[in-house]
Amino acid sequence: MSRTDRANCGKAFVLKMLAGSIASILVLAGHSPLFQAAAIILGTFILEDAATVIAAMQAQQGAVPLPLALGSLYAGIMLGDLGLYGLGRLSAHVRWVARHLPPHRQEAIRAWISGHIFRVVLVSRFLPGLRLPTYTTCGFVGADLRPFALAVVVATLCWTSLLFTVSLKLGQFLMDHMGTWRWAGAIFFIAFIAVAGRVVAAGVQEARR
């Protein structure tokens, strides 16, 4: 087994553990809408794709109201994205961090991002691994928060709605064909999304070189 294969297996194992943790949190929330919403939002902070798949499957089974599941996902993911922007903004005030990017470079990056904010946010949302560095960089250089937040809303509505819809269909398929093993199928699907996304992202980065 190559080093890359071992790394992918390791990532898949970690994803399975995190997905299991999210499912456990949602089960502990019981039937209280408030606790269910809080559990889903917390799940997006842990691993948002897994939270989306699990929340959709719970909604498909009737354990969680569909509007509550989707609304909580939107809220959690948007809050997380804005939190990354805020983290970058705070780091700009840390002297030893800020000195690695001179003011004239910050101005150049800010000017470029300001003209491409929607494309930057959308690409980062759909390519795993880019969101953290991109969103924190937007905050670090002080990109205008209003267009950034609007782009986050649009990107979240597009990606989360798509993944949620696919997961609803998947949940029905797994219930029909796998029964009590449906959660194993869901975890495999989550791992597939993560690994496939990183392979695509690596291919895009390689093509740019």
Side-chain angles (χ1 to χ4, degrees):
M1 182 181 291
S2 68
R3 181 179 300 177
T4 301
D5 291 336
R6 288 195 299 270
N8 286 335
C9 288
K11 290 176 182 176
F13 176 76
V14 172
L15 287 169
K16 290 178 182 179
M17 294 295 293
L18 292 174
S21 299
I22 295 171
S24 299
I25 292 171
L26 196 50
V27 169
L28 290 174
H31 297 286
S32 167
L34 180 61
F35 288 143
Q36 287 176 336
I40 293 171
I41 291 172
L42 177 60
T44 64
F45 296 157
I46 298 172
L47 194 65
E48 65 179 45
D49 286 348
T52 302
V53 173
I54 292 169
M57 290 186 64
Q58 290 287 77
Q60 198 278 329
Q61 295 174 38
V64 178
L66 192 149
L68 184 146
L70 193 53
S72 300
L73 288 169
Y74 288 151
I77 292 171
M78 290 176 193
L79 284 173
D81 289 350
L82 292 175
L84 291 178
Y85 178 97
L87 182 64
R89 199 78 201 104
L90 288 174
S91 67
H93 299 286
V94 179
R95 184 174 300 178
W96 67 269
V97 175
R99 69 185 180 186
H100 291 289
L101 193 63
H104 70 277
R105 290 287 306 280
Q106 293 186 36
E107 289 293 338
I109 295 173
R110 183 188 302 114
W112 186 87
I113 288 177
S114 297
H116 303 83
I117 190 70
F118 266 90
R119 185 172 67 182
V120 166
V121 171
L122 285 171
V123 169
S124 301
R125 164 55 59 193
F126 283 87
L127 289 180
L130 294 183
R131 192 166 59 95
L132 173 62
T134 301
Y135 291 8
T136 53
T137 297
C138 287
F140 185 86
V141 301
D144 193 337
L145 180 58
R146 287 172 296 181
F148 175 84
L150 180 59
V152 162
V153 170
V154 173
T156 300
L157 290 176
C158 292
W159 170 249
T160 305
S161 298
L162 174 63
L163 182 56
F164 189 86
T165 301
V166 171
S167 299
L168 283 176
K169 301 295 184 182
L170 175 70
Q172 185 61 57
F173 176 84
L174 293 176
M175 285 186 65
D176 293 342
H177 295 87
M178 297 187 68
T180 57
W181 289 92
R182 61 185 179 277
W183 289 110
I187 291 173
F188 176 81
F189 178 60
I190 292 165
F192 171 78
I193 293 173
V195 173
R198 294 192 180 280
V199 169
V200 172
V204 171
Q205 292 176 355
E206 185 66 26
R208 288 179 176 177
R209 295 176 182 174

